[in-house]
């Protein structure tokens, strides 16, 4: 066996472990994720799995990164194929709704981990917070594309819109998963439609005006 094929097998094994880790953490939380349980479920020895990550904290960080990758692949990247502006915002919304509807573990983990870790300072909480900020920046960039296209007010604040849309989606997960509200998706669509209406030029109730972005949310190529 060549070193390349050995490395390829190792990468596949790690990917399989992380996929299971995201699924397990979505159900029991990152704190409930253990190398022992994950090893048993993956058909590996504890020492074999430990060799991939080295510690529980490293495993949790890797699982968060894997969840972010899954969410990006399923929701964000497909949305970027839509025309810039409102169509792209709506594509992002529909992909996100489908992610919740299908209970894809990547998106669900981020919602659950937010409440699990918000009072637990440390590297895992820091990584989760940065992943959330990345998503806000992505939403803001998508919205900013609509300003460039002339579809939204030039003084509309992309970060305010991103925060509002994020809030709608958190409520959607709560309504869909915990409350089993059959109207959860439609309510989310109505809420986002109101946000878009407020952002249009000449809106009766205009969106919040642009203000300086938080230091950790410096836009990069916001309208590309």
């Amino acid at each position: 066996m060549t070193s390349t094929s050995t490395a390829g097998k190792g990468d596949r094994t790690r990917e399989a472990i992380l996929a299971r880790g995201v699924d397990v953490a979505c159900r029991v939380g990152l704190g409930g994720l253990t190398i022992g349980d994950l090893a048993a479920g993956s058909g590996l020895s504890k020492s074999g799995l430990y060799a991939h990550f080295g510690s529980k904290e490293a495993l949790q960080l890797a699982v968060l990164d894997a969840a972010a990758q899954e969410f990006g692949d399923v929701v964000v990247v497909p949305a970027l194929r839509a025309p810039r502006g409102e169509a792209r915002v709506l594509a992002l919304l529909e992909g996100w709704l489908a992610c919740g509807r299908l209970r894809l573990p990547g998106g669900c983990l981020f919602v659950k981990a937010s409440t699990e870790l918000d009072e637990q300072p440390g590297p895992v909480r820091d990584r989760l917070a940065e992943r959330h900020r990345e998503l806000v920046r992505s939403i803001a960039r998508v919205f900013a594309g609509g300003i460039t296209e002339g579809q939204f007010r030039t003084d509309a604040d992309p970060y305010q819109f991103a925060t509002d849309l994020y809030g709608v989606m958190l409520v959607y997960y709560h309504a869909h998963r915990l409350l089993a509200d059959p109207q959860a998706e439609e309510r989310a669509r109505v809420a986002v439609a109101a946000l878009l209406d407020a952002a249009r030029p000449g809106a009766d109730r205009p969106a919040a005006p642009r203000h300086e972005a938080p230091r950790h949310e410096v836009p990069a190529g916001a309208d590309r």
Side-chain angles (χ1 to χ4, degrees), residues 132-205:
H132 277 278
R133 293 186 186 109
E134 286 177 358
L135 180 54
V136 170
R137 288 194 290 267
S138 295
I139 299 169
R141 285 195 293 270
V142 168
F143 179 83
I147 296 176
T148 301
E149 294 295 317
Q151 298 171 356
F152 304 136
R153 298 167 60 94
T154 56
D155 64 345
D157 183 347
Y159 286 92
Q160 185 61 54
F161 180 87
T163 300
D164 291 343
L165 188 147
Y166 212 156
V168 169
M169 292 311 299
L170 291 177
V171 171
Y172 161 70
Y173 270 80
H174 175 76
H176 173 63
R177 295 181 63 93
L178 178 65
L179 304 181
D181 180 357
Q183 300 297 315
E185 281 196 37
E186 189 55 30
R187 294 186 196 285
R189 291 190 181 98
V190 169
V192 173
L195 293 176
L196 292 172
D197 286 344
R200 301 185 201 286
D204 293 337
R205 299 178 61 186

Side-chain angles (χ1 to χ4, degrees), residues 19 29 43 51 59-60 62 72 92 95 99 105 110 112 116 120 136 154 167-168 188 193 199 208-209 216:
L59 172 64
Q60 290 173 324
L92 182 71
C99 181
F110 273 88
K112 287 190 172 183
E116 178 187 358
Q120 298 182 35
V136 170
T154 56
V168 169
H216 59 263

Side-chain angles (χ1 to χ4, degrees), residues 55-142:
S55 68
K56 180 175 179 177
E57 182 178 279
L59 172 64
Q60 290 173 324
L61 291 171
V63 165
L64 275 179
D65 289 343
Q69 182 69 48
E70 178 191 299
F71 184 84
D73 291 345
V74 172
V75 176
V76 179
V77 173
L80 296 180
R81 300 190 189 107
R84 189 167 62 171
E86 181 169 343
R88 193 171 293 180
V89 173
L90 293 176
L92 182 71
L93 170 65
E94 290 302 323
W96 205 342
L97 289 172
C99 181
R101 183 193 322 127
L102 299 173
R103 295 177 177 268
L104 299 182
C108 297
L109 174 57
F110 273 88
V111 175
K112 287 190 172 183
S114 297
T115 55
E116 178 187 358
L117 299 179
D118 61 357
E119 296 288 350
Q120 298 182 35
V124 180
R125 181 187 183 282
D126 292 346
R127 180 72 61 85
L128 177 66
E130 181 51 30
R131 291 299 191 183
H132 277 278
R133 293 186 186 109
E134 286 177 358
L135 180 54
V136 170
R137 288 194 290 267
S138 295
I139 299 169
R141 285 195 293 270
V142 168

